[in-house]
Amino acid sequence: MAEATHPTPDAWVFPRVGEELFEALRKARPERIVLQVPAGLIRNATELVERLRTATGAPVVLATRACFGACDFPSRDEAPRADVAVVLGHAPIPNVALPRPTYFVEMREAGGDPVRLADLVAEAGLPRRLGLVASVQHLDLVPLLSEALGRRGYDVRVGRGDRRLAYAAQALGCNYTGAEAVEAEVDAFLFVGTGRFHPVGLAFAVDRPVWSLDPLQSTLEPPIDRALLIRRRLLTVALARDVRRWGILVSTFGGQNRSPTALALQERARSHGREAEILLFDRLDPHDLEGRAIDAYVNTACPRIALDDSANYPKPVLTPPEFLMALGELPLEPYRFDTYH
Ligand code: SF4
């Protein structure tokens, strides 16, 4: 079995499933491959298993549990005999150690007309000093769109984040440090991609209007109401101010485990005379928290559990910075996004 290793984008990252990937896998001579696909690609999963098996000659097993990001790749326990993993739909997280060589297939999307999209942005009157952020699938559009916007008089900034991000301009739901790096130089951000997940995360992380550009539909959405997002979270903080019995949630997923943070938070809680127990899980199910003698939780796993899914939980779920606000150790303003470094 291979030693724990860090992903190196040059060697193990592919834009899509195809001959380039198959050739790299054949060279690796795997004894068994484990394939992980995100929810949106499940329909094609068995066909992909067959293509991989035929192309490499190696047995392929499919990891069937839901996966959310490159942070919860198949563990050794899930696929003990696989010596190679193929992960579809995610970019590697460079500072997360992997249990085996893992080939990331990012499923890059080539679509989107940069000239037309730049026209759309200019017609909507977005501020001239603009930061660009994109989901991994649409990163190839960033240089083309930057250039097209530049020709319309835009001063476009693209930031490089910390070691949790593989690329400049990349959005990751738990880390927008690329955007934060250029926040002071821009008056608004333009997110390039689909859905609300990243615009919402970005709006929590940066104090600038976040517009959303869907490059395939050529639609531009106005900024997320940041003030409302934060008001809701501060209400949760207020509700948890007097909580005496805290649960500290810790995930065992390789890229979601913040045990040192959890221990530090436990220590902070106890120093304020509160009880705080650490609860371990892999994938968190709200039902697992029912019936416990705990009044609120602080979640050290994926930050988006607290920010997006709180309504599904029986008790308030706070992020670590919100927890410190509830204890009175951090001020309520400025609001601090729970960046996972
Ligand atoms: S921790 Fe959450 S937001 Fe970050 S990569 Fe994992 S699933 Fe995505």
Side-chain angles (χ1 to χ4, degrees):
M1 184 67 71
E3 290 300 305
T5 183
H6 288 267
T8 53
D10 293 346
W12 295 340
V13 178
F14 299 85
R16 52 193 62 82
V17 175
E19 190 49 40
E20 200 190 344
L21 168 70
F22 300 149
E23 183 56 29
L25 287 169
R26 281 193 289 265
K27 272 195 195 142
R29 296 171 169 269
E31 285 176 19
R32 184 177 293 259
I33 298 171
V34 55
L35 172 68
Q36 186 185 51
V37 301
L41 299 171
I42 277 176
R43 254 186 115 70
N44 308 76
T46 45
E47 182 205 323
L48 283 167
V49 166
E50 189 50 41
R51 283 181 71 193
L52 277 180
R53 188 182 294 131
T54 306
T56 64
V60 181
V61 289
L62 188 61
T64 49
R65 71 168 168 79
C67 78
F68 300 99
C71 57
D72 68 347
F73 45 81
S75 67
R76 276 195 211 279
D77 288 346
E78 277 179 287
R81 292 172 60 204
D83 53 349
V84 158
V86 175
V87 169
L88 295 196
H90 299 297
I93 299 179
N95 65 359
V96 171
L98 300 165
R100 55 172 80 78
T102 300
Y103 293 72
F104 291 89
V105 184
E106 295 175 345
M107 312 301 279
R108 294 282 179 112
E109 170 58 62
D113 176 354
V115 173
R116 183 165 174 218
L117 295 171
D119 283 342
L120 202 62
V121 170
E123 282 159 18
L126 266 70
R128 295 279 141 180
R129 300 194 320 154
L130 202 54
L132 278 197
V133 176
S135 60
V136 170
Q137 282 70 27
H138 298 284
L139 278 176
D140 294 345
L141 190 57
V142 168
L144 304 173
L145 183 57
S146 299
E147 201 186 313
L149 285 167
R151 283 199 298 271
R152 278 156 192 73
Y154 276 85
D155 179 7
V156 177
R157 297 297 159 105
V158 167
R160 177 162 278 289
D162 66 14
R163 289 179 60 246
R164 196 164 167 88
L165 298 176
Y167 305 105
Q170 181 190 347
L172 191 64
C174 52
N175 185 310
Y176 297 95
T177 52
E180 287 164 12
V182 295
E183 182 177 0
E185 300 160 26
V186 302
D187 299 313
F189 281 95
L190 181 64
F191 167 72
V192 183
T194 57
R196 278 178 57 86
F197 179 74
H198 285 306
V200 166
L202 190 52
F204 269 116
V206 294
D207 189 7
R208 294 286 184 279
V210 176
W211 294 71
S212 308
L213 181 66
D214 181 330
L216 302 182
Q217 304 293 329
S218 292
T219 52
L220 184 64
E221 295 289 329
I224 301 274
D225 187 344
R226 180 175 200 260
L228 179 64
L229 290 178
I230 290 176
R231 257 200 319 276
R232 286 191 184 135
R233 293 309 304 167
L234 293 184
L235 192 61
T236 306
V237 171
L239 288 173
R241 265 194 190 285
D242 299 323
V243 162
R244 304 223 63 78
R245 296 174 303 185
W246 285 90
I248 302 177
L249 304 173
V250 175
S251 170
T252 55
F253 285 149
Q256 285 194 27
N257 183 296
R258 288 190 283 183
S259 295
T261 301
L263 289 170
L265 293 176
Q266 186 179 46
E267 208 276 311
R268 296 319 309 143
R270 287 176 177 167
S271 76
H272 284 262
R274 318 290 174 96
E275 295 170 30
E277 295 307 330
I278 289 179
L279 285 81
L280 263 187
F281 62 96
D282 46 22
R283 181 183 177 191
L284 185 58
D285 182 331
H287 295 299
D288 294 340
L289 303 186
E290 285 171 3
R292 296 180 184 277
I294 287 176
D295 302 315
Y297 294 90
V298 52
N299 169 45
T300 65
C302 172
R304 304 303 293 266
I305 291 172
L307 299 181
D308 301 60
D309 301 336
S310 265
N312 301 336
Y313 288 84
K315 298 282 168 57
V317 182
L318 276 65
T319 66
E322 290 169 351
F323 172 68
L324 294 176
M325 290 175 196
L327 289 184
E329 291 207 357
L330 274 182
L332 300 180
E333 288 180 21
Y335 180 83
R336 283 156 221 252
F337 178 66
D338 176 23
T339 299
Y340 197 133
H341 293 286

